[in-house]
Amino acid sequence: MASAVAALFNIARPPNITPTHINKFHNSKICTQILNQKSKFLLFPSTNPPNPKLAFSTITCSATDKPTSSSEISSTARIRSEVLTPFRSVRMFFYIAFMASAGLGGLIATTQLIGALTNPSRAAEVTEISKGLAIDLGAVLVFAFLYSRENNAKNLQLARLSREESLSNLKLRVDEKRVIPLSSLRGIARLVICAGPESYLTESFRLSQPFTEGLLERGVLIVPFCSDGNVPSFEFEESNENEVTIPNRKRLWQLRTFDVSAWSEWLDEQKKMANVSPDSPVYLSLRLDGRVRGSGVGYPPWNAFVAQLPPVKGLWSGLLDGMDGRVL
């Protein structure tokens, strides 16, 4: 399957994000209330009947901003394309120059060949002129092919960067009072976007439990997006066997999508381009720089994330920041 595209960019962290803000971000509480002495927590509003023994808070996601189209190639995407492939324009210039030179040589050889064919005294020159003409025509075809391939790669890169830019502009809700663009988390977290029905999100939540500590050590934060309108409720339970604490589970699943219509439009567009069924649950894994490192249909491979991604703190922090995997 063609990989889902996406996002984000190798651009410097916004100036308002400082180490102090990062610490506050990681230590922030995502909900204003925790279940009253009960080890359960609802991240999204639920339709379950209220239990008088439990007190919980609910959060409602809203969609107010008009979604932007990712089909437009912005100047930022063009600049990023030049930065990522600085010699592409030079190569394309020389390809055009070589094509022009070979075309001019072919034109001259053609006139000479016509003159030789019409003049019996120059019949011995026909073979040599024909060789030169064939070389010129071959050069035109070769450089035309190289230029076409380079131009197609440029257009594909611009389209991918434009889609990544659209993804970076989507909004995330950190808590009830704070909404940030996804691009604000560049250099801070490796996001994993899980998009699918309620049952898919609930099962993804369950499967991620044994890997909570490992994912957090690698800066992973999960963004759930419910595609069927049935907002799931995540239950955070103590697990002595895996020694997983409730605060860490909440921090791993703390982010929510804010502009639902914009997220839905972006995801539908990516599925269509990747020839994936609109109803298929998908995941999208982002690097620290915000660019897409992996995607697929089905449940995210939490064990692979823990095995492949380097920790964001400790001895290997900074040194392995670029070892998130290749960009798709």
Side-chain angles (χ1 to χ4, degrees):
M1 140 191 158
S3 61
V5 289
L8 305 172
F9 320 138
N10 197 4
I11 302 177
R13 184 187 305 164
N16 62 328
I17 300 295
T18 65
T20 302
H21 292 107
I22 295 174
N23 292 333
K24 290 182 178 179
F25 173 80
H26 283 293
N27 295 329
S28 63
K29 293 183 179 179
I30 302 311
C31 293
T32 57
Q33 296 180 358
I34 301 177
L35 292 177
N36 185 19
Q37 305 295 329
K38 291 293 180 184
S39 302
K40 288 189 177 181
F41 173 79
L42 293 183
L43 185 59
F44 295 102
S46 173
T47 56
N48 296 331
N51 188 341
K53 298 181 180 180
L54 301 178
F56 58 87
S57 61
T58 60
I59 297 173
T60 304
C61 297
S62 62
T64 57
D65 298 334
K66 182 179 180 181
T68 58
S69 174
S70 61
S71 60
E72 301 178 357
I73 307 299
S74 66
S75 58
T76 303
R78 297 183 185 277
I79 293 173
R80 289 190 57 242
S81 177
E82 291 293 334
V83 172
L84 292 173
T85 53
F87 298 108
R88 172 172 287 159
S89 298
V90 177
R91 291 195 299 269
M92 294 179 71
F93 170 79
F94 279 110
Y95 292 156
I96 294 177
F98 293 152
M99 279 191 295
S101 177
L104 181 60
L107 180 62
I108 295 173
T110 301
T111 58
Q112 291 177 346
L113 181 61
I114 294 174
L117 291 174
T118 57
N119 188 351
S121 63
R122 300 178 56 191
E125 301 177 8
V126 173
T127 303
E128 195 66 25
I129 295 174
S130 298
K131 291 181 180 179
L133 179 59
I135 292 174
D136 291 332
L137 292 178
V140 170
L141 294 177
V142 168
F143 288 115
F145 168 75
L146 293 175
Y147 179 85
S148 176
R149 187 180 66 173
E150 200 75 51
N151 189 58
N152 290 337
K154 176 183 178 181
N155 292 336
L156 290 175
Q157 184 184 57
L158 285 173
R160 185 183 72 248
L161 293 176
S162 180
R163 292 190 295 268
E164 289 178 348
E165 184 177 359
S166 298
L167 176 60
S168 71
N169 292 329
L170 296 178
K171 299 295 195 309
L172 294 172
R173 185 186 291 277
V174 180
D175 53 35
E176 292 182 346
K177 298 182 179 180
R178 186 160 46 146
V179 175
I180 61 174
L182 190 144
S183 58
S184 297
L185 299 178
R186 294 176 193 149
I188 301 176
R190 297 180 173 104
L191 300 181
V192 176
I193 302 169
C194 298
E198 177 186 6
S199 58
Y200 167 78
L201 296 179
T202 303
E203 184 65 12
S204 297
F205 172 80
R206 186 188 67 81
L207 294 175
S208 69
Q209 180 172 348
F211 307 99
T212 298
E213 298 296 334
L215 292 172
L216 288 177
E217 290 175 359
R218 287 151 181 80
V220 174
L221 293 178
I222 303 172
V223 181
F225 177 80
C226 191
S227 59
D228 60 1
N230 298 323
V231 185
S233 60
F234 296 144
E235 297 182 353
F236 296 85
E237 300 180 352
E238 289 283 2
S239 177
N240 295 326
E241 180 181 354
N242 296 321
E243 298 181 355
V244 176
T245 60
I246 290 181
N248 284 343
R249 293 286 290 159
K250 293 176 183 177
R251 184 150 62 93
L252 181 64
W253 289 82
Q254 63 184 320
L255 300 175
R256 286 90 60 205
T257 56
F258 172 68
D259 190 343
V260 177
S261 60
W263 278 90
S264 179
E265 180 178 341
W266 189 89
L267 288 167
D268 289 342
E269 181 180 357
Q270 310 320 306
K271 290 181 180 180
K272 182 178 180 181
M273 297 186 66
N275 295 323
V276 176
S277 171
D279 298 330
S280 298
V282 297
Y283 71 89
L284 192 69
S285 172
L286 307 183
R287 308 193 326 170
L288 264 181
D289 59 10
R291 305 192 66 187
V292 178
R293 71 173 297 272
S295 59
V297 178
Y299 299 106
W302 305 118
N303 57 336
F305 293 157
V306 174
Q308 297 172 2
L309 297 175
V312 295
K313 295 181 180 180
L315 177 62
W316 303 107
S317 64
L319 180 62
L320 299 177
D321 285 352
M323 305 298 292
D324 289 31
R326 67 183 182 90
V327 178
L328 296 182

